[in-house]
Amino acid sequence: MLSELSDWFWQERLWFPEGLGWADLEDRDGRVYAKARDLWVALPIALVFLIIRQIFERTVATPLASLLGVKETVRLRAPHNPTLESFYCSVTKNPTQSSVWSLCKQTGCSERQVQRWFRRRRNQDRPSLLKKFREASWRFTFYLLAFIAGLAALIDKPWLYELKEMWQGFPVLTLLPSQYWYYMIELGFYGSLLFSVASDVKRKDFKEQMVHHVATILLISFSWCVNYIRAGTLIMLVHDSSDYFLESKVETEEGGAQKRQMSFRGFSKLAQF
């Protein structure tokens, strides 16, 4: 069944105009074309990114945070209470008024003490400002370098200035080494973000973030398979040109529902280069 599904999915009439087929994308005479099997290269690249990220956060982001005055948040820890801890972990982190009264009877604590315990316990689970800074600085650095590298790879290409050139000769478009590595590095980076999402700061838009990462990986992979290489590199360049600006600010929550924004002054200076 899988074989039949694969044959149907890759049939030439779905992917090529009349008169062309997969045979026309076979490497010959020094010309190289994009192939679906090339996408497997992104997996080891994603693992390499995870390693580089750990090194970067410890050796670059943490000293930079100290230089900019970003410090680890010191929060009061909730006193040990097995009953409240069990309720917090298994029921809810925000008990209702009736639940608070019930917990008061079980623990012998006052209503105010129970509410204070839950407030402190929630604060313990909130990621520190330093952790947010390290994550944002890593993404900022990648997007900035990816934009510079992408611009360097496309600056001399005619389709950067004339969109008609983007489809000249499609779908039989020769793959350039710069395009290959631009694609694989971008795909590997988003793969690493998907792998690390469980350990990263869980934001309010966590579900939307997951959908974004998966959709990005699928779109990059699809454009590679159908040889939309020129269009794909232009789109990635446009996104990278704005993503590092978005990462130059981080929204933090401190003290209940109060929100504030902290600008990364050092990042803003880097963006000027």
Side-chain angles (χ1 to χ4, degrees):
M1 181 178 178
L2 290 178
S3 177
E4 294 176 357
L5 181 61
S6 177
D7 292 339
W8 174 84
F9 183 78
W10 294 110
Q11 57 184 314
E12 293 180 347
R13 69 184 183 85
L14 294 178
W15 299 90
F16 294 93
E18 187 176 354
L20 294 175
W22 294 111
D24 295 292
L25 296 183
E26 293 295 329
D27 298 346
R28 64 172 67 90
D29 301 328
R31 295 184 176 184
V32 180
Y33 300 95
K35 301 174 185 62
R37 62 175 179 269
D38 295 336
L39 297 176
W40 290 107
V41 176
L43 288 178
I45 292 178
L47 295 177
V48 171
F49 269 126
L50 290 175
I51 297 173
I52 295 176
R53 174 179 174 175
Q54 293 300 317
I55 298 173
F56 174 88
E57 289 186 358
R58 294 179 182 180
T59 62
V60 178
T62 301
L64 180 61
S66 178
L67 182 65
L68 297 177
V70 180
K71 299 179 181 180
E72 190 77 51
T73 305
V74 179
R75 297 188 176 100
L76 294 175
R77 298 184 62 84
H80 178 65
N81 190 310
T83 302
L84 297 181
E85 183 68 28
S86 176
F87 187 92
Y88 180 87
C89 296
S90 59
V91 182
T92 180
K93 299 179 180 180
N94 296 280
T96 61
Q97 187 62 43
S98 59
S99 297
V100 171
W101 291 338
S102 176
L103 291 170
C104 289
K105 295 178 181 179
Q106 296 178 44
T107 60
C109 299
S110 66
E111 179 180 337
R112 186 172 182 179
Q113 287 175 325
V114 172
Q115 292 173 341
R116 184 189 299 118
W117 188 95
F118 275 93
R119 184 170 59 252
R120 289 182 178 179
R121 186 65 181 81
R122 287 193 298 269
N123 285 336
Q124 285 180 216
D125 287 347
R126 287 198 180 105
S128 68
L129 186 59
L130 180 59
K131 180 175 176 62
K132 292 180 179 180
F133 181 92
R134 287 197 296 253
E135 291 183 9
S137 64
W138 163 247
R139 292 191 296 268
F140 171 90
T141 302
F142 173 83
Y143 290 135
L144 179 60
L145 294 179
F147 170 66
I148 295 174
L151 186 61
L154 293 171
I155 194 69
D156 60 341
K157 304 300 186 294
W159 54 85
L160 178 62
Y161 311 98
E162 181 57 58
L163 293 183
K164 290 182 179 179
E165 292 290 333
M166 186 167 58
W167 304 109
Q168 189 70 32
F170 179 82
V172 186
L173 299 176
T174 304
L175 178 65
L176 302 175
S178 58
Q179 293 172 325
Y180 173 86
W181 286 111
Y182 194 15
Y183 255 82
M184 293 303 112
I185 289 175
E186 288 277 352
L187 189 58
F189 176 74
Y190 281 104
S192 70
L193 291 183
L194 192 61
F195 293 153
S196 64
V197 71
S199 60
D200 287 346
V201 173
K202 191 171 183 179
R203 303 187 300 193
K204 291 184 177 180
D205 61 345
F206 175 77
K207 294 180 180 179
E208 292 81 358
Q209 188 181 24
M210 287 290 295
V211 172
H212 170 268
H213 292 340
V214 173
T216 301
I217 291 172
L218 291 177
L219 287 172
I220 293 176
S221 301
F222 176 79
S223 67
W224 178 268
C225 291
V226 298
N227 219 10
Y228 289 171
I229 306 299
R230 294 178 181 177
T233 52
L234 289 178
I235 292 172
M236 289 190 294
L237 181 68
V238 171
H239 278 269
D240 290 337
S241 68
S242 60
D243 283 343
Y244 71 88
F245 282 113
L246 296 177
E247 293 296 341
S248 65
K249 287 187 177 182
V250 60
E251 185 180 51
T252 62
E253 284 190 16
E254 296 293 339
Q258 184 181 6
K259 294 184 178 180
R260 62 187 177 86
Q261 283 195 334
M262 190 190 82
S263 299
F264 289 156
R265 299 186 298 273
F267 291 163
S268 300
K269 293 178 181 178
L270 288 175
Q272 297 174 2
F273 283 95

